[in-house]
């Protein structure tokens, strides 16, 4: 009987510890930059100001909350160069770059903000132009922080830049798991206090522990 109680005690304790670790997970709300590789999006390895796309390239931007590049949400919508640049004829001495701009979902948005509808655009520019220049030519105003981090495209969002957002260990807000600023703030205000699940788990552990002690004393 004592052995059985010990097993139950550990079974209750392990999920409790796992849940405590997950509660610490956090992501960041920001514009991610993507490059089209064949039929798939790949996370860009350099920033827009360092990237120099070639004629015919397709580039994407997505606003979302993610913990890291591995779970970042990809741009949605049409990502075909011929479709996006169909009405922009080629010209000597210039290059054409297709841009896909995805403003994210309501779950990704800062508190009180409503994401605009996604858009595509064909930027025609000088051969040595950067992605940042291409974006500026079709989606102003852009906003950057002091570290050259892209904060806003077409004025969205109106404020904030790469702020940390609690995710509850569920990853990107694109899955609907993100919190609003008020929800994150509420958790921060009570950050030193345990959650309901934590209290319930602790109660189970206490009960099982007490039962184990009682059983040992009885057998003695």
């Amino acid at each position: 009987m004592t052995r059985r109680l010990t097993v139950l005690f550990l079974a209750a304790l392990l999920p409790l510890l796992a849940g405590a670790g997950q509660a610490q997970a956090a992501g960041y709300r920001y514009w991610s930059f993507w490059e089209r590789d064949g039929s798939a999006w790949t996370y860009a390895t350099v920033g827009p100001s360092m990237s120099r796309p070639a004629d015919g390239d397709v580039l994407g931007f997505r606003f979302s909350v993610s913990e890291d590049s591995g779970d970042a949400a990809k741009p949605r919508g049409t990502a075909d160069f011929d479709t996006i640049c169909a009405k922009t004829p080629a010209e000597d001495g210039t290059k054409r770059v297709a841009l896909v701009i995805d403003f994210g979902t309501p779950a990704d948005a800062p508190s009180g903000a409503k994401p605009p509808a996604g858009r595509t655009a064909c930027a025609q520019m000088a051969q040595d132009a950067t992605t940042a220049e291409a974006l500026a030519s079709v989606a102003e105003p852009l906003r950057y922080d002091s570290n050259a981090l892209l904060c806003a495209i077409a004025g969205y969002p109106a404020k904030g830049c790469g702020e940390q957002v609690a995710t509850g260990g569920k990853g990107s807000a694109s899955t609907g798991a993100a919190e609003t600023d008020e929800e994150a703030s509420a958790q921060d205000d009570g950050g030193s206090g345990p959650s309901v699940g934590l209290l319930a788990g602790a109660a189970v552990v206490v009960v099982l522990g007490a039962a184990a002690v009682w059983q040992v004393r009885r057998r003695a």
Side-chain angles (χ1 to χ4, degrees), residues 5-220:
L5 286 171
T6 300
V7 171
L8 290 173
F9 177 84
L10 292 174
L13 182 60
L14 289 175
L16 181 64
L17 293 176
Q22 290 179 350
Q24 302 303 315
Y28 295 88
R29 181 182 287 120
Y30 69 103
W31 279 101
S32 56
F33 171 37
W34 301 80
E35 298 172 337
R36 194 74 175 174
D37 183 10
S39 60
W41 287 112
T42 59
Y43 200 91
T45 57
V46 298
S49 62
M50 299 294 292
S51 166
R52 295 186 185 277
D55 181 69
D57 281 354
V58 180
L59 308 173
F61 292 87
R62 172 69 187 266
F63 189 76
S64 67
V65 174
S66 61
E67 294 178 22
D68 52 47
S69 60
D71 77 339
K74 300 175 182 179
R76 300 166 296 173
T78 301
D80 177 68
F81 176 82
D82 290 335
T83 300
I84 296 173
C85 289
K87 296 182 180 180
T88 306
E91 293 182 4
D92 292 341
T94 67
K95 62 183 177 183
R96 294 175 299 162
V97 175
L99 296 168
V100 179
I101 305 172
D102 186 341
F103 294 88
T105 67
D108 296 319
S111 177
K114 181 180 179 180
R119 66 171 78 169
T120 60
C122 185
Q124 190 165 42
M125 52 198 170
Q127 293 285 358
D128 62 347
T130 65
T131 296
E133 291 172 320
L135 187 61
S137 72
V138 298
E140 288 188 328
L142 305 182
R143 178 165 56 85
Y144 293 87
D145 70 0
S146 58
N147 296 313
L149 176 66
L150 180 61
C151 304
I153 296 177
Y156 182 83
K159 59 182 180 179
C161 192
E163 63 270 23
Q164 192 175 61
V165 179
T167 64
K170 295 181 182 180
S172 172
S174 63
T175 63
E179 301 168 306
T180 64
D181 284 352
E182 289 87 354
E183 291 169 330
S185 176
Q187 287 199 359
D188 289 343
D189 290 343
S192 60
S195 66
V196 173
L198 190 62
L199 290 174
V204 172
V205 172
V206 169
V207 170
L208 290 175
V213 171
W214 175 81
Q215 184 66 25
V216 170
R217 288 181 176 177
R218 182 182 178 188
R219 292 172 63 89

